[in-house]
Amino acid sequence: GAVMCCCGPCAMYRRSCLLSLLDQYETQLFRGKPSDFGEDRHLTILMLKAGFRTEYVPGAVAATVVPDKMGPYLRQQLRWARSTFRDTMLARGLLRGLDRYLTLDVMGENLGPLLLGIAVVTALGELLFSHTVNWWTVLAIVTMTIIRSTVLSFRTRQLRFIGYSMHASIRIFLLIP
């Protein structure tokens, strides 16, 4: 009964639910300034806070435009990351009432990049100053990535989500810098 981000081109809402939240949605602010990034996540969280349910429908089919070059893809991912951090603050009160896996995933979405960034900076510092590689850090990052992908694959019963572990290399080498 709770999906944290109903993606814009794939989402459908009851008109009455949407109209009840339209003022909050249209006046979205971040740090006192109008904000228009992450509008789909923001609307989803407004729906959940209002007591409405959001559901994933595996048989739904939608078409959308996706980035086909690395530059636009990285801009999209950075925009989504900002939205995730910002809207998690909005969703704090919701987490207690959600499925434990979903709560863990939300925490991982926010803490994961922070911890990954710290690990990468620390590893680079160690490499620069002592000319050694901390293989335990590398092993921990790889293990955490594989575990998360495996749990996702298991929960969705779709083996293709194992491929999500490849995204970690994009995050480490392109998004963090």
Side-chain angles (χ1 to χ4, degrees):
V3 174
M4 294 303 286
C5 182
C6 296
C7 300
C10 307
M12 293 176 58
Y13 296 99
R14 284 194 178 106
R15 181 179 170 84
S16 59
C17 299
L18 187 57
L19 288 174
S20 71
L21 300 169
L22 203 52
D23 286 343
Q24 291 178 67
Y25 176 67
E26 289 181 331
T27 57
Q28 183 181 174
L29 299 175
F30 180 60
R31 298 175 64 187
K33 296 180 182 172
S35 175
D36 62 354
F37 63 85
E39 67 287 343
D40 46 4
R41 181 179 296 273
H42 186 74
L43 181 57
T44 304
I45 291 172
L46 288 175
M47 288 283 179
L48 290 169
K49 283 184 76 169
F52 300 118
R53 292 171 37 100
T54 56
E55 289 202 24
Y56 172 69
V57 179
V61 177
T64 187
V65 177
V66 297
D68 59 353
K69 292 189 172 61
M70 191 56 72
Y73 173 74
L74 292 175
R75 282 191 297 279
Q76 175 199 59
Q77 292 298 305
L78 290 171
R79 195 175 63 250
W80 286 0
R82 286 193 302 268
S83 167
T84 297
F85 294 129
R86 180 201 61 205
D87 288 324
T88 296
M89 299 307 289
L90 181 64
R92 279 188 323 241
L94 292 171
L95 295 179
R96 281 187 302 278
L98 298 178
D99 176 84
R100 279 185 247 153
Y101 173 75
L102 190 56
T103 301
L104 181 64
D105 188 61
V106 169
M107 289 170 51
E109 264 189 297
N110 287 276
L111 292 176
L114 175 65
L115 295 174
L116 184 59
I118 290 169
V120 168
V121 168
T122 303
L124 284 174
E126 186 171 347
L127 181 63
L128 287 172
F129 295 114
S130 68
H131 305 291
T132 60
V133 175
N134 186 335
W135 291 107
W136 287 110
T137 302
V138 173
L139 182 62
I141 291 170
V142 169
T143 302
M144 287 170 47
T145 300
I146 290 171
I147 288 171
R148 186 167 189 225
S149 298
T150 303
V151 168
L152 185 58
S153 248
F154 178 75
R155 293 281 301 205
T156 61
R157 292 176 176 73
Q158 294 183 32
L159 192 57
R160 67 188 174 103
F161 283 110
I162 292 290
Y164 181 75
S165 59
M166 299 302 203
H167 189 264
S169 60
I170 292 172
R171 204 176 269 276
I172 291 169
F173 298 112
L174 298 174
L175 290 176
I176 289 176

